[in-house]
Amino acid sequence: MAKKIILNEKDLPTKWFNLIPHLPGPLPPPLHPGTRQPAGPDDLAAIFPMNLIEQEMCPDSWVPIPEELLKVYSIWRPTPLVRADRLEQFLGTPAKIFYKNEMVSPPGSHKPNTAVAQAYFNKVAGVKRLTTETGAGQWGSALSFATHIFGLGCRVYMVKCSFYQKPYRKSLMRLWGGEVFPSPTDMTNAGRQILAKDPDTPGSLGMAISEAVEEAATNSDCNYSLGSVLNHVCLHQSIIGLETQKQFESIGLKPDVVIGCAGGGSNFAGLAFPFVKEKIDGRDIKIIAVEPAACPTMTKGPYRYDFGDTAGTTPLMKMHTLGHDFVPAGIHAGGLRYHGMAPLVSAGIKHNLIEPQAKHQLECFEASVTFARTEGFVPAPETSHAIRAAIVEALECKKTGQEKVIVFNFSGHGHFDMSAYDDFFDGKLHDYDYPKEKIDAALASVPQVE
Amino acid sequence: MAKKIILNEKDLPTKWFNLIPHLPGPLPPPLHPGTRQPAGPDDLAAIFPMNLIEQEMCPDSWVPIPEELLKVYSIWRPTPLVRADRLEQFLGTPAKIFYKNEMVSPPGSHKPNTAVAQAYFNKVAGVKRLTTETGAGQWGSALSFATHIFGLGCRVYMVKCSFYQKPYRKSLMRLWGGEVFPSPTDMTNAGRQILAKDPDTPGSLGMAISEAVEEAATNSDCNYSLGSVLNHVCLHQSIIGLETQKQFESIGLKPDVVIGCAGGGSNFAGLAFPFVKEKIDGRDIKIIAVEPAACPTMTKGPYRYDFGDTAGTTPLMKMHTLGHDFVPAGIHAGGLRYHGMAPLVSAGIKHNLIEPQAKHQLECFEASVTFARTEGFVPAPETSHAIRAAIVEALECKKTGQEKVIVFNFSGHGHFDMSAYDDFFDGKLHDYDYPKEKIDAALASVPQVE
């Protein structure tokens, strides 16, 4: 078998897959933050274009990918499916381990799959510029890349502590023409209110979302763009899993275990949802979403309505949540430090289609080092969670002798996270757990709906 | 036409191409640093294994690539040949621009093509560990990656100023198990002598080579590994051009212009030498090696015998040189700051097969920004020289209306060089030229041979 299973550009999927109509029950609708009634398309129109709102609420299984977007995807897609045979040998497992390599995009992660789609549909709708938030900078750099391709402006509110700790993802945004500000700023009401209470706040994703949403809502030529969580984001990311299905088909295999790390849920959803459909249709398949133990949204947070941002300005979504003002510990997997989880992933957990797992930081870094020393490529700290889970599954096969086929999403490279590896080798990293009291306290501010 | 021209793993070249027997005249031999007589295999045996020495002096056109090495190459090879159609459209040129994407390897450059080969042949020869030097860290990280794959130790002498300025390539070496020291160190005679004269020296590649060679020469289980310049390095890199030939063949095109940046010469040689053979056989083809104006080895340095290192311990090689104690200005393209040029590339220039060009730093960074904003990927500062030359050729086609096919080597990504882009945007970068007096002064210490 070849090391890399490669598709031709003519085999690029031409439609995205939508999980919504296949769920065993209806997906609970978003609620208006004021009225707490189901939010209609018009309630979202202040910050999203109607074509994306239609995708967000789409009842169809398939949504065509526009020709112009397929051309942009071809810059880095189809991405390779890689047999991690060197890792298998190191582990001494009879399992076959594969990874879908999403690091090959210009920004180095899966994020541009939806960034270019969102930029395209906003452009078509006549929007001139986009605002967004970013934590470690993966999403901000992907959207800067995407908006530049379609000639839109881009303003990124970057969580303040990351702005100063991760200067090079900021440089990347600048290279692609994005404007970046350390959030909270004094440019928005939300930012000014937060700064008035705590001028030295390190910032958080929830705060940065509040700022980006406010700017989009109060400027008519400007929309907001979110890099995860929402249904249309999961839709765009489905191209990952659709390619993976074709790649396995080309070598006559089907995965028994499908794994992705999950912060907001989009890279996991992208790989997993086409396989969730196979599971709904009756195939025996284990689908694992891996989160950090330091931010245990799926494994310890309840499934209930909550806001997407700190200020409580977004619609309420039914999801696993740790409370919208929960601030997780400063782990290096910045992209997994979000209080909520995609409503579609949350619903998949409720219907027992998806198994959530939580992993600690140190075991994940260990897994990343093992991966880099066998397969070569350097994983992002987020990706290390998926690798850890894959190694655990493979070692289980070693015990049982089962020759399972395991696939995980290599969501991004760690080239801009090398200081995290230094901290790991220098013994500076610690594991974090959240005691129940702390979670209960954070949940106290979540509105009671239902 | 597809955006990316992809080869299957079964189309990986199984032999390297050797230019030596095809040159219009014999390649001048290396000379022993003491006797100044032609150096034989035994003179090199203290620091290289005999299998690599045979490749260094190989009279054959083709050298088989061992099966085990092909398996390692398959981690990232064959690499894509990419149509830069977005760049073409931006320039408004009728030329077709292609780039060979060598950034897809784990260390992010073409360097592992020879690193894994050198590690493999040393392993076969029973060597336990390798020493080397590195400037910006591309080579040191590639050799750390390669030695880890074959279970060898690796010690890297990293130019001191880069050791502190570029911490993350150091982290990369550490991740792959390499030991890294800021050179000059007090661990070698060469290092101690340099430090005695100037304790605050920023270091140089020439100094680091002296240290690495000394350690290899004085330890029987340890050999030295050089990342460029030598014939066997150019041989291993030829896989780049051999793949490129197959890729152009698959789309029915032949390049009219072939471009690579050149520091020691290996990435240029890798892409270009198979095409140099086509030129020797009569095809009309322009082959351009691009160096920085701040280190104008090919365009301003004479073609004569000189040492490869500062201390004068390596054999003398006939090459373009600025003098072995020349210290170039601190441009960001650290990999192009070398006083000499591969003897094979130098001979190609002498025989009018290769056209050298020098480009200034600012125009190269401009070219890189244009590339990143059209094609997406972020070039290393070294690679920017090749991009600049390709853009100049494409703009010339715009004037003349010629539909030339241009290909350049995208030798590496700039993910660890983002501070250079910040300096560029902040207006902190300057152009450098070397006045003739300075070059003449540096050449005064070059031994008179012939």
Side-chain angles (χ1 to χ4, degrees):
Chain A
M1 188 189 298
K3 174 78 179 160
K4 304 180 293 296
I5 296 98
I6 306 278
L7 294 178
N8 290 316
E9 271 165 51
K10 61 177 174 46
D11 297 321
L12 256 180
T14 56
K15 294 169 185 170
W16 290 300
F17 171 72
N18 182 20
L19 185 63
I20 297 177
H22 300 281
L23 285 174
L27 187 68
L31 304 181
H32 188 283
T35 66
R36 312 262 159 117
Q37 294 303 307
D42 291 346
D43 294 319
L44 303 172
I47 58 171
F48 294 119
M50 203 47 76
N51 47 20
L52 286 178
I53 295 171
E54 281 162 14
Q55 291 178 8
E56 184 67 18
M57 302 180 168
C58 181
D60 308 324
S61 295
W62 299 97
V63 174
I65 306 176
E67 190 67 32
E68 198 176 340
L69 208 43
L70 284 172
K71 273 201 74 169
V72 174
Y73 275 156
S74 76
I75 294 175
W76 73 96
R77 305 205 72 86
T79 65
L81 177 70
V82 188
R83 174 84 183 268
D85 55 334
R86 306 180 66 86
L87 176 61
E88 291 167 19
Q89 284 156 28
F90 176 81
L91 298 174
T93 177
K96 291 187 178 68
I97 308 175
F98 293 83
Y99 65 93
K100 179 67 170 167
N101 192 356
E102 291 292 309
M103 68 163 260
V104 299
S105 73
S109 79
H110 67 290
K111 291 286 187 190
N113 296 331
T114 186
V116 298
Q118 292 190 47
Y120 170 80
F121 286 110
N122 272 286
K123 165 93 173 181
V124 167
V127 172
K128 300 296 178 218
R129 62 194 185 88
L130 294 177
T131 63
T132 197
E133 73 296 328
T134 199
Q138 290 271 25
W139 170 245
S141 54
L143 194 68
S144 299
F145 162 71
T147 48
H148 194 273
I149 283 184
F150 290 107
L152 302 179
C154 185
R155 181 170 283 184
V156 182
Y157 292 89
M158 186 169 184
V159 175
K160 197 197 273 175
C161 60
S162 295
F163 184 91
Y164 294 109
Q165 279 168 9
K166 308 227 169 185
Y168 296 134
R169 280 231 175 78
K170 190 175 67 193
S171 315
L172 208 50
M173 295 180 228
R174 190 179 184 188
L175 175 56
W176 285 316
E179 285 183 290
V180 199
F181 301 93
S183 167
T185 72
D186 60 4
M187 294 153 50
T188 64
N189 284 328
R192 283 186 291 268
Q193 279 170 22
I194 295 162
L195 287 173
K197 278 191 220 159
D198 180 5
D200 298 321
T201 175
S204 75
L205 271 177
M207 295 177 198
I209 294 176
S210 297
E211 293 207 278
V213 166
E214 180 183 323
E215 183 178 350
T218 53
N219 289 276
S220 62
D221 66 341
C222 176
N223 265 347
Y224 168 70
S225 175
L226 187 63
S228 190
V229 180
L230 299 178
N231 302 341
H232 67 273
V233 178
C234 297
L235 177 79
H236 301 152
Q237 293 292 357
S238 70
I239 194 165
I240 301 172
L242 296 171
E243 283 180 12
T244 306
Q245 281 181 321
K246 286 194 186 192
Q247 284 162 317
F248 273 118
E249 202 173 298
S250 77
I251 53 171
L253 287 179
K254 281 178 185 291
D256 302 300
V257 186
V258 174
I259 301 169
C261 63
S266 77
N267 98 73
F268 165 76
L271 175 66
F273 282 4
F275 295 102
V276 170
K277 171 71 166 59
E278 291 187 21
K279 183 162 179 153
I280 292 169
D281 293 344
R283 195 161 84 75
D284 182 20
I285 178 168
K286 185 174 182 178
I287 300 175
I288 305 171
V290 193
E291 67 187 2
C295 189
T297 313
M298 298 178 291
T299 53
K300 295 198 178 163
Y303 180 53
R304 55 185 285 192
Y305 273 100
D306 195 4
F307 297 108
D309 71 326
T310 304
T313 54
T314 71
L316 291 151
M317 291 173 291
K318 181 98 181 246
M319 60 183 179
H320 281 277
T321 178
L322 294 168
H324 59 273
D325 47 17
F326 175 83
V327 179
I331 55 167
H332 275 285
L336 306 184
R337 294 175 70 240
Y338 185 64
H339 70 275
M341 179 50 59
L344 272 169
V345 174
S346 299
I349 295 169
K350 176 185 140 73
H351 293 299
N352 293 314
L353 297 165
I354 295 165
E355 176 183 325
Q357 294 184 356
K359 301 286 180 201
H360 285 96
Q361 178 161 254
L362 289 176
E363 61 182 336
C364 292
F365 269 97
E366 256 176 53
S368 266
V369 171
T370 298
F371 185 88
R373 290 186 175 175
T374 51
E375 294 295 319
F377 296 102
V378 181
E382 291 83 0
T383 308
S384 73
H385 291 70
I387 299 174
R388 176 65 190 168
I391 288 177
V392 169
E393 291 291 319
L395 291 176
E396 186 59 30
C397 288
K398 188 176 179 178
K399 277 192 209 153
T400 63
Q402 286 179 289
E403 297 180 16
K404 285 190 185 172
V405 176
I406 300 167
V407 62
F408 68 87
N409 200 1
F410 193 93
S411 56
H413 63 61
H415 298 170
F416 298 99
D417 305 282
M418 294 310 298
S419 65
Y421 284 94
D422 283 334
D423 287 350
F424 173 70
F425 285 121
D426 292 339
K428 291 184 188 163
L429 295 190
H430 305 286
D431 283 341
Y432 301 91
D433 278 296
Y434 272 94
K436 193 171 175 311
E437 311 85 76
K438 246 187 149 168
I439 295 172
D440 289 345
L443 287 170
S445 64
V446 176
Q448 296 292 340
V449 181
E450 269 153 322
Chain B
M1 188 190 300
K3 173 80 180 160
K4 305 181 291 299
I5 296 98
I6 307 278
L7 294 178
N8 289 315
E9 270 164 54
K10 61 176 174 47
D11 296 321
L12 257 180
T14 56
K15 294 170 184 170
W16 291 300
F17 171 71
N18 182 19
L19 185 63
I20 297 176
H22 300 281
L23 284 175
L27 187 69
L31 304 181
H32 188 282
T35 66
R36 313 262 157 116
Q37 293 303 306
D42 290 346
D43 294 319
L44 302 172
I47 58 170
F48 295 117
M50 203 47 77
N51 46 21
L52 286 178
I53 294 171
E54 281 164 13
Q55 290 177 8
E56 183 67 18
M57 301 179 168
C58 181
D60 308 324
S61 295
W62 299 97
V63 174
I65 306 176
E67 191 67 33
E68 198 176 340
L69 209 43
L70 285 172
K71 272 201 76 168
V72 174
Y73 275 156
S74 76
I75 294 175
W76 72 97
R77 307 206 70 88
T79 65
L81 178 69
V82 188
R83 175 82 184 269
D85 55 336
R86 305 179 64 86
L87 176 61
E88 290 167 19
Q89 283 155 28
F90 176 82
L91 298 174
T93 177
K96 290 186 179 68
I97 309 176
F98 293 83
Y99 64 93
K100 179 67 169 166
N101 191 357
E102 291 293 309
M103 69 164 261
V104 299
S105 73
S109 78
H110 67 290
K111 290 288 187 189
N113 296 331
T114 186
V116 297
Q118 292 189 47
Y120 170 80
F121 287 110
N122 272 287
K123 165 94 173 180
V124 166
V127 172
K128 299 295 179 217
R129 61 192 186 89
L130 294 177
T131 63
T132 197
E133 75 294 329
T134 199
Q138 290 270 27
W139 171 244
S141 54
L143 194 68
S144 298
F145 163 70
T147 48
H148 195 275
I149 283 183
F150 291 107
L152 301 180
C154 185
R155 181 168 282 183
V156 181
Y157 292 89
M158 185 169 184
V159 175
K160 196 197 274 175
C161 59
S162 296
F163 184 92
Y164 294 109
Q165 279 167 8
K166 309 227 168 185
Y168 297 134
R169 280 232 176 76
K170 189 174 69 192
S171 314
L172 208 50
M173 295 180 229
R174 191 178 183 190
L175 174 56
W176 286 316
E179 284 184 289
V180 199
F181 301 94
S183 166
T185 72
D186 60 3
M187 295 151 52
T188 65
N189 285 327
R192 284 187 290 268
Q193 279 171 21
I194 294 162
L195 287 174
K197 277 191 219 158
D198 180 6
D200 299 321
T201 175
S204 75
L205 271 177
M207 293 176 198
I209 295 176
S210 295
E211 292 207 279
V213 167
E214 180 183 323
E215 183 179 351
T218 52
N219 288 277
S220 62
D221 65 342
C222 175
N223 265 346
Y224 169 69
S225 176
L226 187 63
S228 190
V229 180
L230 299 178
N231 302 341
H232 67 274
V233 178
C234 297
L235 177 78
H236 302 152
Q237 294 292 358
S238 69
I239 195 166
I240 302 172
L242 295 170
E243 284 181 10
T244 306
Q245 281 181 320
K246 285 193 186 191
Q247 284 162 315
F248 273 117
E249 203 172 299
S250 76
I251 52 171
L253 287 178
K254 281 178 185 290
D256 303 299
V257 185
V258 175
I259 301 169
C261 65
S266 76
N267 99 73
F268 165 76
L271 174 66
F273 282 3
F275 294 102
V276 170
K277 170 71 165 60
E278 291 186 20
K279 182 162 179 153
I280 291 169
D281 292 344
R283 195 161 84 75
D284 181 21
I285 179 168
K286 185 174 181 178
I287 300 174
I288 305 172
V290 193
E291 67 186 3
C295 189
T297 313
M298 298 179 290
T299 52
K300 294 197 178 165
Y303 181 53
R304 55 187 284 192
Y305 273 101
D306 196 4
F307 297 108
D309 71 325
T310 304
T313 54
T314 71
L316 292 150
M317 291 172 290
K318 182 99 182 243
M319 61 183 179
H320 281 277
T321 178
L322 294 168
H324 58 274
D325 47 17
F326 176 83
V327 179
I331 55 167
H332 275 285
L336 306 184
R337 293 175 69 242
Y338 185 63
H339 70 275
M341 178 51 58
L344 272 169
V345 174
S346 299
I349 295 169
K350 176 186 141 70
H351 293 298
N352 293 315
L353 296 165
I354 294 166
E355 176 183 324
Q357 294 183 356
K359 301 284 180 201
H360 286 96
Q361 178 162 254
L362 288 177
E363 60 182 335
C364 292
F365 269 97
E366 256 175 51
S368 265
V369 171
T370 298
F371 185 88
R373 290 186 173 174
T374 51
E375 294 295 318
F377 296 102
V378 182
E382 292 82 359
T383 308
S384 72
H385 292 72
I387 299 174
R388 176 65 192 168
I391 288 177
V392 168
E393 291 291 319
L395 290 176
E396 186 59 30
C397 288
K398 189 176 179 177
K399 275 192 212 151
T400 62
Q402 285 180 290
E403 297 179 15
K404 284 189 185 172
V405 176
I406 300 167
V407 62
F408 68 87
N409 201 1
F410 193 93
S411 56
H413 64 60
H415 298 171
F416 298 99
D417 305 282
M418 293 310 298
S419 65
Y421 283 94
D422 282 334
D423 286 350
F424 173 69
F425 285 120
D426 292 338
K428 289 183 188 164
L429 295 190
H430 304 285
D431 283 340
Y432 300 91
D433 278 297
Y434 272 94
K436 193 170 175 311
E437 311 84 76
K438 246 187 150 172
I439 296 172
D440 287 346
L443 288 170
S445 64
V446 176
Q448 296 293 339
V449 182
E450 272 153 316

